[in-house]
Amino acid sequence: MLTGNAAAAWGVRLANVDYIPAFPVTPQTEIIETLSKWINDGVMDAKFVTMDSEHSMITAAGAASATGARVFTATSSQGLVYGFEMLYTIAGWRVPLVMINVSRGLSSPITLEPDHNDILATRDTGFIQIHCEVCQEVMDSILIAYRLAEDERILLPVLVNMDGFHLSFTREPVELPIIEQVRKFLPAYKPNHAFFKASQPMAQGVAVLGGYAYSYFKYQMHLASKKAIEVYREVSEEFAELFGRTYNTVETYMADDAECLLIMTNSFTTMGKAAIERARARNIKAGLLRLRLVRPFPEADIIRFVKRAKAVAVLDQNISIGKGGIIYSDVASTLYNEKEKPVLLSFISGLGGKNISIEEFEFIFDSLVKAVDKGEISPPQLLYTEAELIEINRLKNIVGKEKHYKFESGD
Amino acid sequence: MVELIPIKSIKDIPFDENLFPGTPACAGCGGLLALRHCLKVLGKDIVIVNAAGCFTLLSIYPFTPFKNSWLYTAMACAPAGAQGIRDALDILIKKGKLDPKEDLKVVVLTGDGAAYDIGLASTSGAINRNLDFYYICYDNEAYGNTGFQWSGATPLASKTGTTQPGRLSPSGAEFFKKDLFEIWRSHKPPYLATISPSHPVDLHNKFKKAEQYKGPKLFINLSPCPPGWATEPSHSTILAKLAVDTGIWALKEAIYGDIKHTHIQKKFKSIEEYLKEQGRFTHLFKPQRQESVINKIQERVNKYWHSVQEYTK
Ligand code: SF4
């Protein structure tokens, strides 16, 4: 039994990483503590250094990666956005760094529990993003991530995401692979492009003058990222052959004949799957699609499953203030030019670790059924339960706001 | 430790160049002149880790004026980049993945904006972690690359883009220059020195001395900056020398925190000679002479030297 954090640390140990610059932040810290202990105990041959901030940490990680070492680092939430500038920078260096983000709602208000505004804020940086549902997947994804990042056709850094608390601190059975199998899947890193050495001076990260040069390098990154979908398929097939666990770009649950499809990401998907079973018990042909690869966005795979459904709901655990759900927008633009497409509904819940209740899932499926049966399309919904409203009003009373604002759902 | 034989004259400075001409730096850039000397001593087996500043534009795709390797990071984090490279080289050599002959010296190169302000924390971290690296700060006393705005290194009364003398505030920058040497010295690094492009022999010997130490080796170069200081490009070396001769730029070194001045003058020139040369201080003399401000600057210099043992004894 391993927590998500421990599973992450095991992934890093198995990957034979050379270098780990770190900086503590809840709820990621257990990962770096575990690695630091292993290194100090001599069971892992790597160098560990605690930096002065996440900004410095990501810089050191990128620079070491540019020197030719296999590098890992981890952060969460505030830390990820503190180092934001460097995510763009080192992705532009085309270095094969693998990094974990343990999702946690962004300040303010400051909080500890998860949502995905942190990781999704980095979606345009050039990092490939793999989002995980369970602890086993976290460990496996790290191995897959190095294969992707170091592939000559990609050479982009990878962020592996897991939810804070729900995954980071939850113990689940995790199967540790045999090391020989891991070596077969992920051989020692032999960089062809990333190096600093005396015999061959090289300038990296240099300035360009003119939009034509800048655009060229940005387009290259985009094309490499798009290419990563194909490479991802190859790599995950190989992984499945060796380890018996299959990780497609999207994971489906009872989706084959689903008329009402729910799209989610990360650990709350487990709750979504339970909701699918309840909906099926109510005779709703429900199914679920979980996005595992979020960048590059696996458009073809999404279209393939989504087109079979009559109505689709995207449940975003993030909010682009003034617009709405981020994944919803991505899915909508993916479908826009399809001739036949289902209706697409947007729901937001689970911000800052807010529970997604049974009623909320029921509300989502009722809305989908209404859309299918009566053609009633509900506007984007911000989900919140009666009980939660009573509770927040109680807190507001304590701070002296006696007026009870009436809560309105929807736009 | 091998005994060091300091060079005595400019003739002893190596002829080889590791920084080639034709860069986009301004004519008469005091920072570039100093860098040229630094690289003569450091050699070509180095990697320069750069932060945003004037010298970022030295390497523009697909050109570089250096014989050595280069990595541009961002404004705040060149020392963190140096940490990553140093650590990676060390671990790769230790694991037998890199031939020790391929090893490089890691050299951070930043302006004063990065060194005194936005990158102070990452530098402090690197020094504290005893990172084996060089740091060269070309200090032109303002944000030069953005057109010369106030930085923590800007001296009292300097005119900059954001401290323009006006009716309500006629005397330019209102604060004294931050004492980066003392901030860095508080970490007790193995080697720390101030340098000047007007004193290449002193510069050369300092780098040679620094080479003996493992750990942070830090240099602050006062860099005359013709467009920002509003001076003649051909006067940069004269100005750098005036800064030393008036005592406003003290040439010194500190080994594990113990200071020694490497250039002591019996009598310093009046600070006015230095200020008058520069357009950024003209408002102190015209239309009205701002005696109290000039005195304040002079007093600060006097006070400094009175606290220096080698000078007072
Ligand atoms: S602005 Fe000043 S410091 Fe910058 S390149 Fe020009 S002369 Fe040198």
Side-chain angles (χ1 to χ4, degrees), chain A residues 18-19 45 47 49 51-52 55-56 59-60 63-64 85-86 89 93 196-199 201-205 207, chain B residues 59-61 67 69-74 77 80-81 83-85 87-89 91 94-95 97 101-102 104 122 129:
Chain A
D18 298 313
Y19 183 51
D45 189 12
K47 189 173 162 68
V49 56
M51 297 299 290
D52 38 275
H55 191 280
S56 286
T59 308
E85 170 189 31
M86 295 319 291
T89 305
W93 294 350
F196 283 118
K197 55 185 178 193
S199 62
M202 177 161 68
Q204 296 196 53
Chain B
S59 288
I60 298 177
Y61 185 81
K67 275 189 186 166
S69 291
W70 169 272
L71 177 69
Y72 168 69
T73 53
C77 55
Q83 179 91 43
I85 297 178
D87 287 344
L89 289 170
I91 187 98
K94 185 184 149 226
K95 284 188 170 183
K97 294 182 186 176
K101 276 188 267 168
E102 295 284 14
L104 300 168
S122 70
R129 291 186 298 264

Side-chain angles (χ1 to χ4, degrees), chain A residues 16-324:
Chain A
N16 217 354
V17 161
D18 298 313
Y19 183 51
I20 304 160
F23 191 80
V25 54
T26 303
Q28 163 279 122
T29 312
E30 186 192 353
I31 304 177
I32 57 167
E33 280 183 349
T34 309
L35 291 168
S36 157
K37 173 131 188 24
W38 283 338
I39 292 168
N40 289 345
D41 284 346
V43 292
M44 200 181 149
D45 189 12
K47 189 173 162 68
F48 183 97
V49 56
T50 303
M51 297 299 290
D52 38 275
S53 71
E54 289 88 355
H55 191 280
S56 286
M57 173 189 92
I58 297 169
T59 308
S65 208
T67 311
R70 186 177 276 167
V71 186
F72 170 80
T73 191
T75 191
S76 177
S77 184
Q78 303 303 124
L80 189 69
V81 292
Y82 192 80
F84 198 58
E85 170 189 31
M86 295 319 291
L87 297 175
Y88 274 90
T89 305
I90 70 169
W93 294 350
R94 306 294 299 269
V95 291
L97 169 70
V98 173
M99 183 167 164
I100 282 239
N101 179 63
V102 184
S103 264
R104 167 183 152 192
L106 287 170
S107 181
S108 101
I110 183 97
T111 190
L112 292 173
E113 288 184 70
D115 68 36
H116 307 134
N117 265 96
D118 58 355
I119 185 72
L120 291 177
T122 69
R123 68 189 186 277
D124 306 333
T125 55
F127 273 71
I128 287 169
Q129 289 196 9
I130 299 172
H131 292 219
C132 302
E133 183 188 347
V134 293
C135 297
Q136 178 79 55
E137 191 183 356
V138 173
M139 191 189 72
D140 294 348
S141 294
I142 288 177
L143 302 177
I144 292 174
Y146 279 107
R147 275 290 301 273
L148 289 177
E150 291 167 6
D151 194 290
E152 288 286 306
R153 294 164 289 177
I154 304 179
L155 294 176
L156 285 170
V158 182
L159 264 161
V160 175
N161 196 65
M162 73 165 123
D163 280 333
F165 291 82
H166 295 258
L167 222 54
S168 67
F169 298 150
T170 303
R171 269 170 216 284
E172 292 179 348
V174 175
E175 196 183 312
L176 294 178
I178 302 160
I179 192 73
E180 289 73 31
Q181 299 272 74
V182 176
R183 288 292 153 269
K184 216 166 141 195
F185 177 72
L186 180 68
Y189 173 45
K190 289 201 189 73
N192 286 329
H193 303 280
F195 56 79
F196 283 118
K197 55 185 178 193
S199 62
Q200 207 176 339
M202 177 161 68
Q204 296 196 53
V206 293
V208 294
L209 286 184
Y212 72 96
Y214 182 84
S215 298
Y216 178 82
F217 291 113
K218 283 288 162 185
Y219 287 172
Q220 287 254 311
M221 285 171 76
H222 180 65
L223 296 175
S225 184
K226 294 295 251 183
K227 184 89 187 165
I229 293 185
E230 186 188 314
V231 180
Y232 178 88
R233 287 202 192 102
E234 280 172 34
V235 170
S236 58
E237 257 171 49
E238 210 182 300
F239 188 91
E241 269 168 38
L242 278 167
F243 304 102
R245 289 184 292 275
T246 307
Y247 295 108
N248 293 325
T249 62
V250 297
E251 185 209 5
T252 53
Y253 187 73
M254 298 188 172
D256 286 343
D257 64 338
E259 287 179 357
C260 298
L261 191 72
L262 177 62
I263 297 183
M264 293 180 72
T265 64
N266 293 283
S267 71
F268 281 46
T269 310
T270 308
M271 292 198 260
K273 288 174 182 169
I276 299 297
E277 286 179 14
R278 288 193 302 272
R280 288 259 171 185
R282 288 163 61 206
N283 281 328
I284 300 170
K285 278 195 163 174
L288 185 140
L289 182 136
R290 175 172 72 91
L291 298 180
R292 194 174 126 72
L293 202 57
V294 171
R295 281 294 179 274
F297 203 62
E299 293 184 322
D301 291 335
I302 291 171
I303 290 170
R304 191 151 57 88
F305 286 103
V306 162
K307 271 177 82 171
R308 297 181 195 163
K310 290 184 176 151
V312 175
V314 180
L315 178 47
D316 271 289
Q317 276 172 271
N318 63 77
I319 184 161
S320 171
I321 306 290
K323 176 66 175 86

Side-chain angles (χ1 to χ4, degrees), chain B residues 24-32 54-55 138 140 144-145 148 223-228:
Chain B
C26 312
C29 175
L32 196 69
C54 290
F55 289 179
Y138 56 101
N140 71 341
N145 198 34
F148 213 74
S223 308
C225 166

